[in-house]
Amino acid sequence: MKKLIVFAVITMVAFVSIAQAEVTAAKRREIEKMLRLTGMEKLMAQMKTQMISGMKTQMTQVPEEFWTSFESKMDMRALLEKIIPLYDKYYTIEDLKAVNAFYESTVGQKVLSTLPKIMQESMAIGQEWGEKIGEQAAAEAEKELKNKNRK
């Protein structure tokens, strides 16, 4: 009887472990799908190109062959592997499925296609706003200093 109970417990633990592994694999597929849908892989490739370009500008004495070799060693898949656990940590598989369904929809595609433009225009608006606030702060500070100096 004791052996039967031990066998049953081991079987249940094995079954739960297998089921958990399947959920993890399914969740990973959803995370990878979301990264594809949102263009994360393309963004990372652009980031890589910009990084290399920036380093080339700063280190003009370094030969082109070095940069070609260096770029080939920059494994963006390895970076993605480091990012995947973040999505696993913060999102359930249900969250990921819902997000992916949204990004696959017409509206989701519109959000993805317009978001870079919105971010760029928002940054310009923010910069203009910040400049005005900065000018206002400088003017008020100068006025305050003049008032203190009169006293």
Side-chain angles (χ1 to χ4, degrees):
M1 179 69 168
K2 221 176 189 181
K3 287 182 181 182
L4 183 60
I5 292 172
V6 170
F7 177 74
V9 169
I10 291 172
T11 303
M12 285 188 338
V13 169
F15 178 74
V16 169
S17 297
I18 290 168
Q20 189 66 32
E22 286 178 19
V23 170
T24 302
K27 192 172 183 184
R28 181 183 181 83
R29 282 192 301 274
E30 290 297 325
I31 292 168
E32 288 175 343
K33 181 177 184 179
M34 183 178 69
L35 294 174
R36 250 187 336 276
L37 287 169
T38 58
M40 178 64 87
E41 292 169 335
K42 288 180 188 175
L43 183 61
M44 290 175 70
Q46 289 173 346
M47 209 171 68
K48 176 180 173 180
T49 301
Q50 288 174 347
M51 283 174 50
I52 296 288
S53 178
M55 289 187 283
K56 281 182 179 180
T57 302
Q58 292 177 349
M59 297 182 256
T60 55
Q61 72 283 8
V62 177
E64 186 62 35
E65 299 81 41
F66 169 83
W67 295 117
T68 303
S69 173
F70 184 74
E71 186 173 0
S72 71
K73 293 175 189 173
M74 289 179 71
D75 182 8
M76 300 314 278
R77 186 70 202 169
L79 179 56
L80 267 177
E81 289 299 322
K82 291 179 180 291
I83 292 170
I84 287 173
L86 292 175
Y87 288 92
D88 181 44
K89 178 180 176 181
Y90 291 105
Y91 298 109
T92 66
I93 191 163
E94 292 78 17
D95 295 336
L96 294 163
K97 286 180 179 181
V99 168
N100 287 340
F102 171 72
Y103 284 136
E104 287 178 318
S105 72
T106 305
V107 174
Q109 288 296 304
K110 183 174 183 177
V111 167
L112 290 172
S113 69
T114 58
L115 196 55
K117 296 171 193 166
I118 290 171
M119 291 301 296
Q120 185 178 18
E121 291 177 33
S122 294
M123 286 174 52
I125 290 168
Q127 185 176 359
E128 183 180 319
W129 176 82
E131 288 172 2
K132 285 182 182 177
I133 293 295
E135 290 169 4
Q136 182 182 353
E140 288 180 22
E142 188 177 319
K143 184 178 176 182
E144 185 71 27
L145 285 173
K146 285 181 183 178
N147 287 339
K148 278 192 174 186
N149 288 336
R150 285 187 213 164
K151 293 180 183 178

